[in-house]
Amino acid sequence: MTTGGPPLLRGTGLAKIYGNLVALDDTDFSVDPGEVRALIGSNGAGKSTLIKILTGAVMPTRGSVEISGEIAPLGDPSEMIRRGVACIYQHSNLAPAMSALDNIYLGRQPTRRFGFVDTRRQRLKAEELLAHHGIDIDLDARVGTLPTVKQKEVEILKALALDARVILMDEPTGWLAGADVVRLHDTIRMLKARGVGIVYISHVLDEIFAVCDTVTIMRDGRVVAESAVAEIDRPRLVHLMVGEKLARESADAALHQRRPRGTGAVRLSARGLGKSGVFADVSFDLHAGEIFCLTGLIGSRRTELVRTLFGSDRFDSGMLEIDGRRVAPRTPLDGMSLGIGFVPEDRHREGLMLDMNVTENLAMATLGRHCRGPFLSRSGMVRAGRKAIEDLSVQPRDGSKVVRLLSGGNQQKVLVGKWLSRSPRILILDEPTVGVDVGAKAEIYAILRREREQGAAILIVSSDLEEVMTVADRIGVMVSGRLAAVHDAGTAAMADIVREIGGGSA
Amino acid sequence: MSERGLSLPAALSGHVVQNALPVAVAVIIAIFALTEPAFLSTDNLVGIARQVAIIGIMAVCMTFVIMTGGVDLSVGPVLALAGLAAFYSLDAGFPLPVVILAGLSVGAVVGLANGLIVAFLQLPPIIVTLAMLSMVRGTALIVGGPEQHLIRNEPGYSFIGTGSMMGLPVSVYIFAAVAVFMILVQRRTPLGLLVAAIGDNERAARLSGHRTRLTKTLVYVICGLGAALAGIIQSSQVHTALATYGPFGTELDVIAAVVLGGTSIMGGNGSIARTLLGVFFLGILNNGMNILNVPIDIQLIAKGAIIVAALAIAARRG
Amino acid sequence: MRSASAALALFFAATILLFSLSAPRFASASTVENLMSGFSFVAILAMGQAFPILVRGIDLSIGAIVGLVGMIVFDLSLILHVPGYLILPLALFAGALAGALNGVLVVHLRLQPFIATLATLAAYRGLTYAISGRQLVPGLTTTPIRDPWLTGIETYFDVGRWLGLSRLVNMPWVPLSFVIMLAVFAVLQVLLTSTRFGRDIYATGGNHEAARLAGIRVNGVIITAYALAGLCAAIAALIMVARFTTATEALGAGMELTAIAAAVIGGVSLAGGVGAMFGPALGAFLLGAILIGLTLQGVPQFVQQIITGAILLAAVGYDRLLSVRRQRRLSAPSTAAT
């Protein structure tokens, strides 16, 4: 596969540090012409950061990038595009009100004199592109009105239209159904034959064995292994991905004794829960004293599901019972009065008041408790805050610290602490350890286990298999808005779960 | 709100920014005092306090709105309409408390309308209150016409704006009372914390079980009440109610005072006590420039430049 | 976009019909003439305002820019006796510069657009007073501007007679300002829909991050958008100065409100990235038709102020409704179909 000469794209000594969090730590990475390189690792392993540095979206703290042996300027997307580096991002990068045609050529429409867009040439080129790749899209449709799958295709076309020499794909199949995935893989093989270098990020191991030549495995911001796909087998790959630690952690977890169905008392019972066009027919029980993990691909609608349990969104079919009583929470306040606590996925956007201090954030869900008449008892808040900071060992132990200045792990502890102060009977956590360092992860797991021992029912949404295998008593796998399988964690095989996540079961 | 520990260089620059306003107030006082000794006379200082009372009350009451990430451009005409409401109630022979209530109710109603539309229909505050500005001004002109309405022989009402106790104008006492009350609300009640929380992260506040929409509505009502109270004081001070009081630009002065006080226009951070500093900074600036006979046009330009500078510093910090 | 324009045109037609039936003398040549001469510059302002809104901003200072440019024209013509053919480009340049400064404040000082332009509103208005020829040379207050290059803007064409239609019906005379408005419309519409720059505007307003990652110089695009708003304000100022043959310090005060209303009524979404030139222009004439109609019906001017505000509210409400629907459509037909 590899030819002589310098690699098409090479990053050397790349590092990115956000405050206290090392997202990427002195990483080397390269792709050759005609190579399809898989990039895999758990969430927070540094894949996305690496990709963003290579596309110029993020300025690295250290390191350099070369394209065909030439040093490329960093932190400037247009320079990278000019040098033939394209990217299909995980999140949509389209202008919803513009036509598919204009989105494909975003920022690079062919022009005639005086900057007039040569619409005829643009359309001809696009139609040629569509025909070439056998993709069928209404070029005049506004992208915002297209279904998500089609939007993804527009993004792929956008990269193809660049005549890119390197295409980075960050979970390109996250929203695609089986047949579409096959078609994408055909496209990738065709590109490869033309000498394009491809970096392919995916959690779905089947895809990696299907289409990739080489694989780079990352963990905790570092490259831990590189190999040809032909020379590696699935168990070895999983092992490298989640690390030696998993074995240890699972052993630890076994010591903690997995307790599927906890005390046996059903706290929350969902029967045929659905939300039109989002998820459908989800049934499960959540018991007191257990940790139930929902795993699945990004876009498998786990977040949307748990939000309806708490009341920040509404389900529109099926039945929800809490402590045997039929309920339909309509607002977060409803969910809270049912004894539910909810730690949302994105702590910056939905969880914390970043410019307020630790004490205030901890008190945010219990303000009523700190009131004396119409007045707020600051001293009461500070006392409660101090206790929570001790219990959760938030660093630094200073309630007047602004939350923005804490590390990701400590921010997450504050967020969890906000809900623990209500002693919730049901605690829902959505991706509780994204962007959290290893030490803080372990502490958060310990906190969750402690709550479980005290009889709380805990529901965790997680894409991080290591995490799932570490803390879960039971595991549910969601695929495309459905609960595809539920396992007892003690008896579940990692390989089965990995296959089910990719929709490969049944 | 409380002390915020930072690394040393960050702490230093943070303190410079934090204390820029008090320093600036001190500097301009020194400059004016040196160039024009009359500036420091008791009469002039009392005069400054009296002059800033009206804008000050509005700024104090607008601080919460801006802290939630909103803005209220409709305060000028509310001021005018409240004065007219008070005038007509006086004219109809109602007792003083009813008159004041009538004036305040104008602010409450307009504020409620602003708040409901912003919070529940989720329309952009700037457009909503811009539309309201036009509508309330139109209403004021319909109610009051273009002519002045003289308020005569109403000693009780006139006392609000022109009376004095122990050498200080009554309006200054009212300003002080409103300021103290609002500082108390901010520091000692859950509302104060909630307002900051909404501005910082509205979704998180909602997910923490707070009635964010109700709070946002309330905040606009408070702002309207402040503008109405200012209108009552002004009409009493000049013995006149007029539909065109609080001309275009009034809201700019109010917003400027709040923003100069360090309240983030993006919402979140903010302090009513610091808004007071902003109010006095602008008041002293106005007064000093008047004493020094700086022409009105230069004053306008200077004000615009100062606001831009203050905001640019704030943006750099964020 | 096209259907929204059609809906607006239909609403415009309905409004005209309603007033023609209810208001005395509404269906007349003089109404059309009033509409063309009184609202062409509003349409120009609205089209200019559309650009900052398209890139998710807003420009509150355009009224003040109108005043500033008006006063510059006044000074150049009456005090410095600069010939009109030089004044025209200078005035346009001044407007564009003032607009570009807004853009710089927004992009480089990272100020909120509305607060930045509120501040420049004060500053530009102050500058207008500072350079006011009326105050520098009080004797000029009553001197009209006579430069033919400037007063020539206030010309009317008897189109009816040229076409020979006057013999059949009473045809309105078409003011040059209306022709200018059409020209501005044509140029900006082509700029917006047929050039790379237009695509960059839509991309920047529709998805700022995607535009940046696609290599579009978003900062430059935003500054240019504000400069265009300033340029349009300058054109409007020239029309107004020609009409009054003088400029006052208060020229254009409050015009930003009408311009924003017209733009939003014309389907320019405050969420950015949606809208074109036809909507704002027609929106301005719709506002004009309503105001003229109400006047003819004897509705006092103050009520019209209330109605303008209410129309603005209704327009943003409608805009909000559309964007909520767009989002629903976006999120609904995704997975879970299998």
Side-chain angles (χ1 to χ4, degrees):
Chain A
M1 242 123 293
T2 51
T3 57
L8 203 47
L9 177 69
R10 173 159 70 187
T12 314
L14 294 172
K16 179 70 191 178
I17 299 165
Y18 295 100
N20 301 328
L21 183 76
V22 180
L24 194 65
D25 192 5
D26 288 321
T27 299
D28 296 338
F29 184 81
S30 74
V31 196
D32 285 320
E35 177 185 5
V36 182
R37 177 174 286 275
L39 181 59
I40 63 173
S42 296
N43 280 354
K47 297 166 299 181
S48 287
T49 307
L50 175 60
I51 289 289
K52 283 184 182 154
I53 290 172
L54 295 177
T55 59
V58 162
M59 186 76 186
T61 313
R62 285 192 298 276
S64 67
V65 175
E66 287 167 45
I67 296 168
S68 302
E70 271 179 54
I71 295 277
L74 298 169
D76 184 344
S78 61
E79 286 292 337
M80 288 310 217
I81 288 170
R82 218 166 53 75
R83 286 167 167 74
V85 179
C87 182
I88 298 165
Y89 287 94
Q90 207 168 315
H91 299 288
S92 167
N93 254 294
L94 302 169
M98 297 176 80
S99 70
L101 183 60
D102 282 331
N103 265 291
I104 292 171
Y105 293 99
L106 202 68
R108 317 171 0 273
Q109 286 88 2
T111 51
R112 289 176 286 157
R113 265 179 307 169
F114 309 120
F116 281 96
V117 175
D118 190 339
T119 42
R120 215 168 52 86
R121 196 150 62 92
Q122 186 183 6
R123 183 174 297 275
L124 280 177
K125 277 173 68 177
E127 279 168 356
E128 196 178 303
L129 205 63
L130 288 180
H132 199 180
H133 298 286
I135 297 175
D136 179 32
I137 280 179
D138 177 3
L139 289 173
D140 296 314
R142 280 203 278 160
V143 157
T145 64
L146 291 174
T148 320
V149 176
K150 288 283 170 195
Q151 294 191 15
K152 209 75 201 181
E153 290 186 354
V154 173
E155 297 224 37
I156 291 167
L157 285 168
K158 193 169 136 191
L160 295 176
L162 271 173
D163 290 322
R165 295 194 288 163
V166 184
I167 302 181
L168 314 169
M169 301 184 179
D170 195 352
E171 299 202 32
T173 55
W175 297 89
L176 300 184
D180 298 322
V181 173
V182 171
R183 204 160 63 205
L184 176 70
H185 287 175
D186 288 342
T187 308
I188 289 174
R189 286 189 198 98
M190 190 273 302
L191 292 170
K192 169 183 151 74
R194 291 209 315 230
V196 176
I198 289 173
V199 179
Y200 192 93
I201 297 188
S202 180
H203 284 302
V204 188
L205 299 186
D206 280 341
E207 292 179 11
I208 286 158
F209 285 101
V211 76
C212 298
D213 305 314
T214 50
V215 56
T216 296
I217 301 147
M218 293 189 73
R219 201 166 65 223
D220 300 329
R222 294 168 173 279
V223 171
V224 290
E226 287 189 311
S227 165
V229 169
E231 291 163 16
I232 199 165
D233 61 2
R234 192 180 292 253
R236 175 81 188 135
L237 203 61
V238 172
H239 189 86
L240 283 167
M241 200 168 124
V242 296
E244 299 293 339
K245 238 176 27 256
L246 177 64
R248 257 203 334 271
E249 289 279 341
S250 337
D252 277 3
L255 286 181
H256 281 102
Q257 210 178 21
R258 298 197 193 264
R259 289 170 48 191
R261 281 165 293 282
T263 62
V266 176
R267 270 283 152 77
L268 180 151
S269 164
R271 287 291 170 270
L273 230 45
K275 186 176 169 71
S276 148
V278 182
F279 57 85
D281 196 25
V282 175
S283 301
F284 66 94
D285 287 330
L286 180 65
H287 302 82
E290 77 167 341
I291 296 178
F292 182 54
C293 278
L294 270 179
T295 187
L297 292 178
I298 288 167
S300 60
R301 307 304 185 147
R302 295 159 300 168
T303 297
E304 289 83 346
L305 169 67
V306 296
R307 290 181 81 94
T308 66
L309 304 179
F310 180 57
S312 65
D313 274 320
R314 294 173 201 175
F315 55 84
D316 47 34
S317 61
M319 191 177 78
L320 179 66
E321 281 184 357
I322 287 174
D323 292 321
R325 210 156 51 83
R326 185 166 177 173
V327 295
R330 298 168 67 81
T331 65
L333 212 53
D334 289 349
M336 286 165 69
S337 62
L338 292 167
I340 305 177
F342 178 61
V343 175
E345 177 177 18
D346 187 334
R347 61 175 167 270
H348 287 189
R349 282 181 57 217
E350 301 206 304
L352 294 164
M353 320 301 174
L354 287 176
D355 289 315
M356 296 175 74
N357 66 32
V358 172
T359 303
E360 289 164 339
N361 269 283
L362 282 168
M364 214 27 96
T366 43
L367 280 186
R369 200 177 292 174
H370 299 298
C371 283
R372 302 240 175 76
F375 294 109
L376 188 66
S377 161
R378 290 260 168 187
S379 57
M381 261 170 65
V382 169
R383 256 198 314 278
R386 209 174 287 144
K387 183 170 174 305
I389 290 169
E390 279 310 312
D391 287 352
L392 303 164
S393 59
V394 175
Q395 295 293 339
R397 304 191 171 219
D398 174 5
S400 67
K401 193 98 170 160
V402 178
V403 166
R404 186 185 292 281
L405 302 174
L406 299 184
S407 71
N410 284 299
Q411 288 182 352
Q412 196 66 24
K413 282 193 241 169
V414 170
L415 182 52
V416 172
K418 170 169 93 178
W419 289 106
L420 294 186
S421 65
R422 291 184 64 86
S423 324
R425 294 157 57 75
I426 300 170
L427 184 59
I428 302 172
L429 305 99
D430 195 353
E431 303 287 3
T433 60
V434 168
V436 169
D437 61 277
V438 183
K441 264 187 196 174
E443 291 179 73
I444 290 173
Y445 298 153
I447 292 165
L448 293 179
R449 289 200 186 100
R450 199 171 66 208
E451 287 301 309
R452 176 186 70 172
E453 296 313 313
Q454 288 166 10
I458 299 178
L459 176 61
I460 298 176
V461 170
S462 176
S463 305
D464 182 346
L465 273 183
E466 180 175 345
E467 173 166 297
V468 171
M469 297 310 275
T470 307
V471 296
D473 295 319
R474 285 192 305 145
I475 301 167
V477 180
M478 272 192 85
V479 179
S480 304
R482 284 166 193 276
L483 188 56
V486 177
H487 301 276
D488 281 1
T491 57
M494 171 87 85
D496 291 340
I497 291 174
V498 168
R499 202 187 61 239
E500 283 165 5
I501 287 173
S505 73
Chain B
M1 252 156 272
S2 32
E3 282 304 308
R4 286 162 178 184
L6 297 147
S7 66
L8 190 63
L12 280 178
S13 71
H15 278 292
V16 169
V17 173
Q18 289 276 314
N19 296 326
L21 189 59
V23 171
V25 172
V27 167
I28 59 165
I29 289 178
I31 291 173
F32 289 138
L34 288 176
T35 47
E36 182 56 67
F39 175 79
L40 279 183
S41 69
T42 321
D43 278 354
N44 192 49
L45 293 181
V46 171
I48 291 175
R50 212 174 81 105
Q51 281 162 16
V52 299
I54 288 171
I55 292 286
I57 289 171
M58 290 197 278
V60 162
C61 294
M62 173 112 61
T63 306
F64 278 179
V65 169
I66 295 184
M67 281 180 73
T68 61
V71 73
D72 187 351
L73 302 179
S74 69
V75 290
V78 168
L79 174 148
L81 191 56
L84 286 168
F87 165 78
Y88 283 111
S89 328
L90 280 172
D91 215 32
F94 287 116
L96 192 59
V98 178
V99 169
I100 292 173
L101 223 58
L104 291 180
S105 65
V106 167
V109 168
V110 175
L112 189 65
N114 279 332
L116 289 175
I117 295 172
V118 167
F120 287 88
L121 301 183
Q122 293 172 42
L123 301 187
I126 174 176
I127 304 287
V128 171
T129 56
L130 197 60
M132 200 58 82
L133 179 150
S134 178
M135 291 162 75
V136 177
R137 179 71 72 202
T139 310
L141 284 162
I142 292 170
V143 171
E147 66 275 2
Q148 298 199 338
H149 303 275
L150 292 181
I151 299 171
R152 264 174 298 203
N153 305 322
E154 297 286 353
Y157 191 73
S158 297
F159 184 71
I160 298 171
T162 55
S164 69
M165 297 187 296
M166 293 182 290
L168 277 178
V170 174
S171 55
V172 174
Y173 286 105
I174 298 176
F175 176 32
V178 170
V180 168
F181 176 75
M182 288 302 288
I183 289 174
L184 210 65
V185 168
Q186 179 170 41
R187 298 213 172 141
R188 293 275 173 261
T189 72
L191 179 67
L193 203 56
L194 192 49
V195 164
I198 288 175
D200 195 322
N201 193 338
E202 186 172 347
R203 288 160 71 147
R206 202 176 117 74
L207 285 178
S208 303
H210 296 296
R211 300 180 199 277
T212 52
R213 292 172 175 184
L214 221 57
T215 309
K216 277 171 88 176
T217 309
L218 178 63
V219 153
Y220 282 89
V221 172
I222 292 174
C223 186
L225 283 173
L229 182 59
I232 292 172
I233 293 172
Q234 170 158 23
S235 64
S236 157
Q237 223 165 48
V238 296
H239 303 285
T240 322
L242 178 62
T244 54
Y245 277 159
F248 202 75
T250 307
E251 69 288 337
L252 179 60
D253 287 348
V254 175
I255 295 168
V258 177
V259 169
L260 280 175
T263 298
S264 163
I265 201 77
M266 305 292 286
N269 270 324
S271 144
I272 287 178
R274 294 181 69 87
T275 293
L276 289 179
L277 266 181
V279 167
F280 278 100
F281 177 77
L282 285 179
I284 292 167
L285 202 66
N286 273 340
N287 176 275
M289 290 199 288
N290 280 335
I291 290 184
L292 295 179
N293 284 321
V294 178
I296 180 77
D297 39 310
I298 305 292
Q299 292 194 16
L300 264 178
I301 298 172
K303 230 188 275 176
I306 286 167
I307 296 166
V308 167
L311 283 168
I313 292 172
R316 213 142 284 273
R317 180 173 37 157
Chain C
M1 216 176 301
R2 254 168 240 142
S3 66
S5 292
L8 183 66
L10 213 64
F11 190 73
F12 183 70
T15 309
I16 298 285
L17 190 69
L18 185 76
F19 279 123
S20 301
L21 296 176
S22 66
R25 301 189 315 280
F26 184 81
S28 69
S30 83
T31 300
V32 178
E33 206 171 294
N34 284 341
L35 199 55
M36 285 193 292
S37 70
F39 287 88
S40 289
F41 67 87
V42 180
I44 292 171
L45 284 173
M47 288 188 278
Q49 180 69 258
F51 281 90
I53 300 181
L54 275 171
V55 294
R56 265 185 227 192
I58 200 156
D59 189 348
L60 296 182
S61 74
I62 56 169
I65 295 179
V66 167
L68 181 61
V69 171
M71 195 50 73
I72 289 173
V73 172
F74 182 96
D75 290 353
L76 288 178
S77 183
L78 290 182
I79 300 179
L80 301 174
H81 304 292
V82 176
Y85 55 84
L86 286 181
I87 293 178
L88 292 178
L90 283 174
L92 296 181
F93 177 72
L97 195 66
L101 179 63
N102 284 330
V104 168
L105 294 181
V106 169
V107 167
H108 292 293
L109 295 187
R110 279 180 258 148
L111 300 186
Q112 279 275 82
F114 95 86
I115 202 83
T117 54
L118 202 57
T120 53
L121 185 164
Y124 293 156
R125 193 60 79 184
L127 195 58
T128 308
Y129 279 95
I131 64 163
S132 170
R134 295 169 159 272
Q135 292 176 5
L136 299 173
V137 189
L140 289 178
T141 335
T142 52
T143 313
I145 294 174
R146 287 186 211 281
D147 193 307
W149 284 88
L150 298 175
T151 53
I153 297 170
E154 180 70 358
T155 308
Y156 288 76
F157 303 116
D158 189 355
V159 176
R161 208 170 70 199
W162 294 349
L163 298 175
L165 288 173
S166 296
R167 273 169 292 160
L168 308 173
V169 285
N170 189 10
M171 284 290 288
W173 288 35
V174 175
L176 181 59
S177 64
F178 185 74
V179 179
I180 295 174
M181 189 279 299
L182 288 180
V184 169
F185 167 77
V187 169
L188 292 183
Q189 178 71 12
V190 167
L191 184 72
L192 203 49
T193 56
S194 303
T195 67
R196 169 82 73 80
F197 172 72
R199 299 289 203 282
D200 290 353
I201 288 258
Y202 283 122
T204 304
N207 189 339
H208 187 276
E209 183 64 6
R212 191 179 75 85
L213 292 176
I216 294 170
R217 307 276 170 197
V218 284
N219 287 352
V221 170
I222 291 173
I223 292 173
T224 313
Y226 281 92
L228 282 172
L231 183 70
C232 286
I235 298 172
L238 286 169
I239 293 173
M240 291 168 85
V241 169
R243 165 112 2 111
F244 306 133
T245 66
T246 188
T248 64
E249 292 87 350
L251 191 74
M255 291 299 317
E256 59 282 342
L257 176 68
T258 324
I260 292 167
V264 174
I265 289 168
V268 183
S269 169
L270 290 164
V274 177
M277 288 294 107
F278 179 74
L282 191 60
F285 287 109
L286 175 63
L287 275 178
I290 292 172
L291 293 183
I292 290 176
L294 291 174
T295 308
L296 289 176
Q297 277 188 324
V299 175
Q301 194 207 335
F302 308 141
V303 178
Q304 297 179 11
Q305 229 168 339
I306 298 178
I307 291 173
T308 312
I311 292 173
L312 178 57
L313 264 188
V316 282
Y318 183 64
D319 172 50
R320 166 83 194 158
L321 193 75
L322 285 183
S323 78
V324 166
R325 278 215 201 125
R326 260 200 303 276
Q327 269 168 6
R328 289 239 176 90
R329 254 210 320 263
L330 228 161
S331 66
S334 37
T335 57
T338 45

